[in-house]
Amino acid sequence: GAVVSQHPSWVICKSGTSVKIECRSLDFQATTMFWYRQFPKQSLMLMATSNEGSKATYEQGVEKDKFLINHASLTLSTLTVTSAHPEDSSFYICSARVGGLDYNEQFFGPGTRLTVL
Amino acid sequence: AQKITQTQPGMFVQEKEAVTLDCTYDTSDQSYGLFWYKQPSSGEMIFLIYQGSYDEQNATEGRYSLNFQKARKSANLVISASQLGDSAMYFCAMREGRESGGYQKVTFGIGTKLQVIP
């Protein structure tokens, strides 16, 4: 199956700093990538959807200026948490979707655990 | 209103027995898709099975089968012959909405924690 990687797998940072998380589709071209966050013992909440070469579409309540998403190529999307605060500590998961109307599967990355001190 | 409802926060099952994880959904779309994912303690999301709204037969993938009852808007996951490695969180999810700009939104339920007992 298709493989999606995330880097880093975990990161600890100081409050006020920015953190960049990379999501790569390793063996396929992803027309669309999704970013989710998951709090402990809770479900995945979609943050934003990004298509290659265009601006990301953010879900209601997600701050665009805080969570910067760049989808520069068909295999790479980045999420930058700017001026991180302890409440941003969470598990961030990306997924990539293979193009085509008949193909419905999303492939998930292994996730990045962010802890903001 | 919640789009995906999983009413079982936790389930126990004896090894080698079958278990059903419940999922109901709410949508006004005619075309939609239903997924089940497994999330072990390590955190990665593992795709298990998919059912399209127009699929006439219930989806099956190895030990996983999806009991799709469209009129009741339910999409329960059945795991047969449970194994210790099946212990994990299980999420039901739904894709709805038309293809627009090349993406479709997927909504997840809150999950069910399954524990397989030796």
Side-chain angles (χ1 to χ4, degrees):
Chain A
V3 179
V4 176
S5 71
Q6 275 185 247
H7 179 79
S9 56
W10 59 270
V11 57
I12 301 173
C13 69
K14 292 183 178 180
S15 185
T17 60
S18 294
V19 175
K20 181 185 282 189
I21 303 170
E22 291 186 349
C23 176
R24 293 181 185 272
S25 56
L26 297 185
D27 51 1
F28 67 99
Q29 292 186 327
T31 51
T32 307
M33 287 185 171
F34 304 87
W35 286 96
Y36 297 85
R37 67 186 299 182
Q38 184 182 28
F39 292 107
K41 298 183 181 180
Q42 293 189 27
S43 187
L44 277 71
M45 299 299 295
L46 180 64
M47 298 175 66
T49 304
S50 73
N51 294 304
E52 184 263 340
S54 61
K55 289 184 178 179
T57 301
Y58 290 81
E59 295 301 300
Q60 194 172 9
V62 178
E63 298 175 61
K64 301 179 184 181
D65 296 332
K66 180 157 189 68
F67 299 101
L68 301 178
I69 292 172
N70 184 286
H71 193 160
S73 75
L74 285 171
T75 60
L76 173 64
S77 176
T78 60
L79 167 67
T80 302
V81 183
T82 62
S83 187
H85 290 284
E87 58 265 30
D88 298 325
S89 298
S90 187
F91 192 56
Y92 291 88
I93 306 177
C94 74
S95 72
R97 183 177 177 275
V98 178
L101 290 175
D102 295 330
Y103 203 82
N104 295 284
E105 192 171 338
Q106 289 185 64
F107 298 96
F108 284 84
T112 297
R113 193 165 300 282
L114 170 63
T115 302
V116 184
L117 302 176
Chain B
Q2 286 190 344
K3 287 185 176 290
I4 295 287
T5 303
Q6 293 181 255
T7 57
Q8 307 153 312
M11 291 280 287
F12 289 92
V13 64
Q14 201 78 38
E15 193 178 6
K16 299 180 184 178
E17 291 188 349
V19 63
T20 298
L21 306 183
D22 294 342
C23 172
T24 57
Y25 60 92
D26 182 29
T27 181
S28 56
D29 285 354
Q30 295 300 310
S31 177
Y32 53 90
L34 298 156
F35 304 79
W36 277 92
Y37 290 90
K38 171 184 178 182
Q39 187 180 42
S41 56
S42 54
E44 75 268 30
M45 295 290 285
I46 302 168
F47 167 78
L48 296 179
I49 198 166
Y50 168 79
Q51 179 88 40
S53 58
Y54 291 118
D55 294 342
E56 294 184 353
Q57 291 191 333
N58 287 344
T60 60
E61 288 286 348
R63 295 187 296 112
Y64 305 107
S65 60
L66 199 152
N67 185 359
F68 181 46
Q69 299 194 27
K70 196 170 181 176
R72 296 178 58 188
K73 292 190 174 178
S74 74
N76 298 340
L77 176 70
V78 180
I79 304 175
S80 62
S82 297
Q83 301 172 355
L84 295 178
D86 294 335
S87 295
M89 283 291 289
Y90 288 80
F91 292 96
C92 179
M94 176 173 65
R95 166 197 58 79
E96 58 181 339
R98 294 180 179 178
E99 283 281 347
S100 174
Y103 72 90
Q104 297 163 303
K105 189 184 299 188
V106 176
T107 306
F108 287 81
I110 62 172
T112 295
K113 185 169 185 177
L114 177 66
Q115 299 261 50
V116 180
I117 306 166

